[in-house]
Amino acid sequence: MLKRPNIIFIVADDLGYADLGCYGGRNARFGAVSPHIDALAAGGLKLTQGYSNSPVCSPTRFALMTARYQYRLRGAAEEPIRTATRGNPDLGLPPSHPTLPSLLREAGYRTALMGKWHLGYPPHFSPLQSGYEEFFGPMSGGVDYFSHCGANGQHDLWFGEAERAQPGYLTDLISDYAVDYIDRMAAGAQQDTPFFLSVHYTAPHWPWETRDDEALSRELVENKQAIYHLHGGNIESYQRMIHHMDEGIGRLVERLQAHGLADDTLIVFTSDNGGERFSDNWPLVGGKMDLTEGGIRVPWVAHWPRVIAPAGESRQTCMTMDWSATMLDIGGAQPAAGYPWDGQSLLPLLQDPAWHQDQPLFWRMNHRGQRAMRDGDWKYLRVDGVDYLFNLHADERERANLASVLPERLQAMVAAWEAWNASMPPIPGDATVSLCYTDADMPQR
């Protein structure tokens, strides 16, 4: 029987599929962008066909927290939850719903979230009401890295359920609090009280600010641009932002090693959705808000020296909720009555990188009436009422539409998607789509 590991779930924000060196990303002018994440991949398992549950942030986080399709909850119909909904009692993760941290906590884990929440605002919602014992970070979808103000210009940095200002570059602050948590939990972990630590960075989400750009932050405030940095940014700044996050991840690994916990800690790294303006998604097309591959296929790296052999690579398809189910399985948690998991445990894959088990994956988006299904090498996609069929093994770039060539396969996948969709609550008529995001490279009529 496996010893239950500590679990660290690291989630980047708007990271592109090929932004990391281990996924083919190019070096920056200053050198390697992600050496510490690359080292985790080299010492563990990298998945090349892994997905987020949504191409936009808060819906994915509903799936992450519940191990279920996000469409089951009203708040996840927002694409995404907006700062303007602060105080809305309906748009958030209900405290009554069992979650990844609450179920692990019941199983004996200590729990904390350092970083982005984006699942509703106090007093109705908060990390502390959904299973986390500790929380530091912003409640909203994005904040300035220095002023820590959100899209409406309102300050948004929390310690538990108390809002409080603290100076510093947000990526570094998240790393600082995560490192401190490991230090405080180390003694218990050494005595068989494992911890579950969510480290949800806002990097590399806009505004495009590096550790050296505090003056830029003041300029955005003075010009009343909040975090909508539409006139700025560049690839160099974007890569620096990823590198700052990577440095923090290196610090987490170093503390695990210092406490003798590295071998018995599962570290999982991913992104909440595909990349945005300066991201590298090669060879995929599309990005955030798109159900093309660039919007939903994301890095998935797992590192657990006690179990996962180094240098592993897998084409196993999976979604965010599968990894949540995996962590719950590893932690000895059980589904709560009435809340079965849609996610499937990938523990057999961690033990054997050759393990493979196909399962159909489904998505839908209110934005542009999008729908998608992945089944083996095949993908069905609808955008603006037009149906597409792609063989992703032959055409990852989704350029060769086979819908008219293989109509029977298309219709079978349409029928499967319709049957799945009928099992989900319908999209509410008052659900909103953010206008802050633009389409990167969607199929057109």
Side-chain angles (χ1 to χ4, degrees):
M1 183 176 179
L2 287 173
K3 176 183 178 182
R4 295 191 306 167
N6 308 299
I7 302 171
I8 300 180
F9 196 1
I10 306 172
V11 182
D13 198 350
D14 295 359
L15 185 75
Y17 179 75
D19 279 332
L20 305 175
C22 55
Y23 278 85
R26 291 165 288 189
N27 282 357
R29 293 177 185 173
F30 57 78
V33 174
S34 55
H36 296 290
I37 302 171
D38 298 345
L40 291 175
L45 177 67
K46 179 181 76 172
L47 281 80
T48 61
Q49 305 292 311
Y51 292 89
S52 59
N53 261 70
S54 171
V56 66
C57 34
S58 57
T60 291
R61 294 167 195 272
F62 277 93
L64 182 156
M65 288 289 288
T66 64
R68 309 176 84 209
Y69 274 113
Q70 65 271 25
Y71 315 106
R72 300 186 183 281
L73 291 167
R74 170 62 186 89
E78 302 296 298
E79 298 175 352
I81 292 177
R82 296 166 299 136
T83 304
T85 65
R86 186 167 181 165
N88 187 306
D90 300 316
L91 302 184
L93 178 60
S96 60
H97 197 296
T99 65
L100 172 58
S102 73
L103 293 171
L104 286 176
R105 188 173 174 181
E106 290 175 7
Y109 275 73
R110 304 296 303 273
T111 62
L113 167 60
M114 305 304 176
K116 178 174 173 176
W117 168 243
H118 205 186
L119 291 171
Y121 296 88
H124 306 290
F125 314 101
S126 81
L128 300 192
Q129 297 180 52
S130 288
Y132 288 113
E133 297 173 296
E134 298 185 27
F135 168 60
F136 164 80
M139 294 281 187
S140 64
V143 297
D144 183 272
Y145 286 85
F146 294 93
S147 70
H148 312 139
C149 293
N152 61 355
Q154 185 173 349
H155 182 264
D156 182 23
L157 189 63
W158 299 73
F159 295 75
E161 293 188 342
E163 198 169 0
R164 189 167 81 238
Q166 177 168 341
Y169 182 66
L170 184 58
T171 301
D172 291 338
L173 290 176
I174 292 171
S175 298
D176 290 344
Y177 279 90
V179 165
D180 174 70
Y181 184 78
I182 292 172
D183 287 340
R184 289 187 287 110
M185 294 296 112
Q190 292 161 354
Q191 299 298 320
D192 204 31
T193 302
F195 62 82
F196 171 65
L197 172 60
S198 296
V199 186
H200 295 180
Y201 287 101
T202 59
H205 190 289
W206 35 265
W208 319 110
E209 295 170 352
T210 74
R211 191 181 289 145
D212 301 321
D213 287 331
E214 189 167 4
L216 174 58
S217 169
R218 291 194 295 270
E219 175 191 320
L220 292 177
V221 172
E222 291 167 2
N223 292 336
K224 298 182 179 179
Q225 295 214 12
I227 62 173
Y228 300 121
H229 197 186
L230 300 180
H231 69 292
N234 53 57
I235 292 174
E236 177 80 5
S237 293
Y238 178 79
Q239 291 178 315
R240 281 280 184 192
M241 294 169 72
I242 297 172
H243 189 67
H244 295 331
M245 173 179 65
D246 184 80
E247 290 174 321
I249 292 169
R251 292 174 57 204
L252 301 183
V253 173
E254 185 278 326
R255 296 316 297 157
L256 292 172
Q257 293 170 341
H259 291 296
L261 299 175
D263 286 351
D264 292 309
T265 299
L266 168 63
I267 301 175
V268 176
F269 176 88
T270 190
S271 179
D272 61 350
N273 48 252
E276 223 196 333
R277 186 190 307 182
F278 298 109
S279 305
D280 185 353
N281 281 333
W282 181 262
L284 314 177
V285 298
K288 187 173 182 176
M289 295 297 289
D290 307 343
L291 289 181
T292 47
E293 292 293 285
I296 50 177
R297 202 192 301 183
V298 293
W300 282 102
V301 172
H303 185 271
W304 182 10
R306 187 75 69 191
V307 172
I308 301 175
E313 185 170 312
S314 172
R315 288 183 57 85
Q316 172 66 39
T317 54
C318 61
M319 299 177 82
T320 309
M321 63 186 184
D322 296 319
W323 284 95
S324 300
T326 302
M327 296 175 196
L328 289 164
D329 182 18
I330 290 170
Q334 299 295 323
Y339 298 92
W341 302 331
D342 295 314
Q344 305 296 313
S345 176
L346 300 171
L347 178 56
L349 175 65
L350 304 189
Q351 297 169 320
D352 177 9
W355 180 85
H356 189 90
Q357 180 175 293
D358 278 329
Q359 57 176 330
L361 310 177
F362 300 93
W363 296 264
R364 74 183 187 197
M365 282 286 285
N366 200 13
H367 176 56
R368 297 183 70 179
Q370 296 177 77
R371 57 169 69 174
M373 174 187 177
R374 171 85 190 252
D375 189 11
D377 290 332
W378 294 94
K379 181 176 177 182
Y380 160 53
L381 174 70
R382 176 177 290 182
V383 184
D384 294 332
V386 179
D387 285 342
Y388 301 84
L389 178 67
F390 300 111
N391 183 312
L392 294 180
H393 185 70
D395 175 31
E396 285 194 306
R397 214 164 155 71
E398 296 173 285
R399 302 290 81 176
N401 184 10
L402 302 175
S404 62
V405 180
L406 299 170
E408 292 183 357
R409 179 176 289 277
L410 172 65
Q411 290 309 309
M413 294 187 76
V414 169
W417 188 94
E418 295 281 3
W420 166 82
N421 188 54
S423 72
M424 297 291 150
I427 298 175
D430 62 347
T432 61
V433 176
S434 173
L435 301 179
C436 300
Y437 307 107
T438 57
D439 305 309
D441 190 7
M442 294 287 280
Q444 304 297 322
R445 289 181 182 271

